[in-house]
Amino acid sequence: MIFGRTERGKPPVEPVTLKILVAGGFGVGKTTLVGAVSEIRPLRTEELLTEAGRPVDDTSGVEAKNTTTVAMDFGRITLREDLVLYLFGTPGQERFWFMWDELSEGALGAVVLADTRRLEDCFAAIDYFERRSIPFLVGVNRFDGAARYPDEDIRRALDLDEQVPLLTGDARDRESVKEVLISLVQHAMAQASQRRAVTT
Ligand SMILES: Nc1nc2c(ncn2[C@@H]2O[C@H](COP(=O)(O)OP(=O)(O)OP(=O)(O)O)[C@@H](O)[C@H]2O)c(=O)[nH]1
Ligand SMILES: [Mg+2]
């Protein structure tokens, strides 16, 4: 690098940075997703699930889980040299939802993670983004032992608008998560240009 130029003579690119939310119900894999793709050590705000929280913290299906997010997860991923995503994982438990308004400020879009064993847990997140016209997609996190359903059935159960993308993946797998994030960016961009076309 000489005088701000790369060896190939191209000026360095100032990346566009976008803010993405990762939402969904309790224990669906939000913290796992951010951790799987982040190129920086993710910031986590995990607290131990306690005996006192047992009546309200439903860990059925994720019995191995012993911590929960109380404020947010934060990570970063460079999708291309000119495109960086900042990932904000939201807390899944209802009692921490007051964080969502703060976290969704300035967000380009959201991934709503879903677990087919407890689809209803993501209704609140879907409602939240629909109401605020924040572009989102649904990412089904494939848990071992969870039954597989056709996309059509999942769409119907979630009452998803046909333009909302539905993808299936594994929150622990970097490539799988990258694919979901790229789809979200494309979807959000398409929605933004659609809106511009309507208003001009
Ligand atoms: N089999 C399997 N297990 C997963 C997957 N994703 C997450 N897990 C496990 O599921 C549990 C829940 O993961 P978390 O990432 O803490 O979930 P969360 O959505 O952040 O949870 P809260 O912040 O408490 O709402 C952990 O024990 C993970 O190891 C997955 O794709 N497959
Ligand atoms: Mg979490």
Side-chain angles (χ1 to χ4, degrees):
M1 190 93 101
I2 308 161
F3 301 123
R5 290 189 167 266
T6 61
E7 286 96 329
R8 279 178 289 150
K10 281 202 237 145
V13 274
E14 192 59 45
V16 172
T17 58
L18 301 172
K19 176 177 179 179
I20 303 288
L21 298 179
V22 183
F26 172 60
V28 78
K30 302 174 293 291
T31 300
T32 305
L33 181 151
V34 174
V37 287
S38 184
E39 61 210 8
I40 53 172
R41 192 149 67 88
L43 169 76
R44 292 188 174 149
T45 58
E46 295 295 284
E47 293 289 343
L48 281 174
L49 284 166
T50 59
E51 198 56 39
R54 198 179 284 278
V56 279
D57 301 340
D58 179 10
T59 53
S60 54
V62 282
E63 286 80 4
K65 186 172 164 65
N66 54 17
T67 65
T68 190
T69 305
V70 295
M72 63 175 214
D73 305 302
F74 175 73
R76 187 190 71 198
I77 175 170
T78 305
L79 282 186
R80 285 193 322 235
E81 62 170 348
D82 58 347
L83 181 58
V84 172
L85 303 187
Y86 285 105
L87 303 176
F88 290 78
T90 59
Q93 296 186 77
E94 273 179 57
R95 55 198 157 111
F96 301 121
W97 282 1
F98 59 89
M99 283 299 299
W100 285 34
D101 288 335
E102 195 105 0
L103 289 175
S104 61
E105 195 74 34
L108 172 86
V111 173
V112 174
L113 271 185
D115 175 351
T116 52
R117 298 167 300 179
R118 320 187 272 173
L119 271 186
E120 65 282 1
D121 288 9
C122 70
F123 288 171
I126 290 177
D127 271 358
Y128 184 93
F129 298 120
E130 274 178 350
R131 243 178 247 159
R132 287 163 182 78
S133 300
I134 296 174
F136 68 95
L137 59 68
V138 173
V140 174
N141 189 13
R142 207 185 298 118
F143 279 87
D144 311 324
R148 310 275 164 96
Y149 301 95
D151 282 3
E152 267 326 295
D153 293 3
I154 299 175
R155 284 187 167 280
R156 205 168 319 119
L158 296 177
D159 195 17
L160 272 195
D161 239 47
E162 63 185 43
Q163 88 240 20
V164 175
L166 175 76
L167 282 87
T168 298
D170 185 330
R172 299 164 299 180
D173 181 78
R174 188 181 157 84
E175 288 310 310
S176 172
V177 173
K178 263 175 92 171
E179 211 173 289
V180 169
L181 294 173
I182 291 168
S183 299
L184 174 63
V185 172
Q186 286 170 342
H187 172 61
M189 297 292 187
Q191 289 230 306
S193 64
Q194 239 176 39
R195 267 185 222 150
R196 267 199 305 276
V198 170
T199 53
T200 52

